[in-house]
Amino acid sequence: ARCLESVGQLEEALASYDLALDSEDDGLDAMLGKVSVLAKLKRWADGMDCTRQALKILGTLDQTAIEEARRATLAEALREKLAEFLVERGIELRVAGGQQEANALFREAVTVHPNYAPAYFVVGVQLSEAGQHLEAKEAYERAVTLKSDYIEAWNNLGVEFRHLGDHENAANAHWMGLKVNGNCQRTRQNMAISLMNLGCRALVMKDLKKSRTFLKQ
């Protein structure tokens, strides 16, 4: 299975991991391999189920079967992978119109792995769409605390500050985003709006002039 996975034959690798699961006593190594392949195949729902099974198996192993340090490391990695599957599956459901189920998965992702930044980002999107801008702001703040180069979260955090009437912190958030990627047009546009709201029209016009020159080039 590992050889097949290494050469990109993912469906065949998945079938081989399933065969291994039928013959192993605890099945942990095969289950971990299967989790990896399902992530590469973007089969989020199956990945959720498989990761939950792997965590369950891990919890049943005694100290003679696995060292405690390795158990802790694997459990952390599996919880992060489960959070990833939950977020990605939730996004799939949102696209298909399953808003409520998606939101439930986003919330579960935060619970499963409290340090997984993308989970807070998607929760922030959901809260913002519901008009809960203070709660959305807090979710985005958590996301950028966990991942300081998360430009999408910095941008959305600035928008939430704007919704709350805090234009100075909105500009600060957009500035942090521009420090990550100064060419992000969405963040530059939002920065311009924040500066306009602060009465810094001259700075905005100067930035727009630079943008026009860049576009012409």
Side-chain angles (χ1 to χ4, degrees):
R2 286 173 177 166
C3 288
L4 289 165
E5 182 181 356
S6 69
V7 296
Q9 294 179 250
L10 300 180
E11 292 292 351
E12 294 84 351
L14 199 59
S16 293
Y17 280 125
D18 283 333
L19 288 172
L21 283 169
D22 291 337
S23 60
E24 284 187 335
D25 290 335
D26 58 60
L28 180 60
D29 287 337
M31 193 67 75
L32 293 172
K34 189 173 178 179
V35 167
S36 171
V37 171
L38 288 170
K40 292 174 182 177
L41 289 170
K42 299 184 179 181
R43 286 170 53 175
W44 313 123
D46 291 337
M48 286 161 43
D49 294 339
C50 188
T51 309
R52 289 191 177 106
Q53 290 176 43
L55 283 165
K56 186 176 180 180
I57 292 171
L58 189 62
T60 62
L61 299 179
D62 59 30
Q63 291 182 348
T64 62
I66 186 170
E67 293 180 357
E68 203 56 39
R70 183 167 185 261
R71 184 202 303 274
T73 300
L74 284 176
E76 174 69 11
L78 284 169
R79 282 193 292 268
E80 182 172 356
K81 183 57 70 175
L82 178 54
E84 177 189 341
F85 283 132
L86 289 163
V87 167
E88 295 296 342
R89 176 57 178 158
I91 292 171
E92 269 188 347
L93 289 168
R94 272 175 60 92
V95 172
Q99 188 72 43
Q100 289 187 341
E101 190 177 352
N103 291 344
L105 293 181
F106 296 153
R107 296 287 181 176
E108 185 181 351
V110 169
T111 303
V112 164
H113 198 289
N115 294 325
Y116 187 60
Y120 292 93
F121 179 82
V122 290
V123 166
V125 172
Q126 173 255 314
L127 289 167
S128 181
E129 290 176 350
Q132 297 174 257
H133 297 296
L134 178 60
E135 293 82 357
K137 175 189 77 73
E138 292 169 351
Y140 291 130
E141 284 177 330
R142 180 63 175 157
V144 297
T145 298
L146 292 168
K147 191 174 185 293
S148 60
D149 62 347
Y150 204 158
I151 186 169
E152 296 88 351
W154 280 118
N155 185 70
N156 286 15
L157 175 59
V159 172
E160 295 310 316
F161 274 122
R162 187 195 309 157
H163 282 303
L164 294 168
D166 188 346
H167 301 301
E168 184 173 350
N169 274 320
N172 287 336
H174 294 314
W175 172 244
M176 292 300 293
L178 289 173
K179 286 174 72 175
V180 176
N181 180 3
N183 294 319
C184 178
Q185 288 304 307
R186 185 181 176 206
T187 305
R188 288 170 68 90
Q189 289 165 2
N190 279 314
M191 182 65 163
I193 293 170
S194 296
L195 290 171
M196 290 288 281
N197 288 334
L198 287 169
C200 303
R201 181 177 174 81
L203 284 174
V204 176
M205 297 310 294
K206 183 179 179 181
D207 192 64
L208 287 175
K209 185 177 180 180
K210 288 181 180 178
S211 297
R212 290 194 190 98
T213 303
F214 173 76
L215 288 172
K216 285 179 182 178
Q217 293 173 343

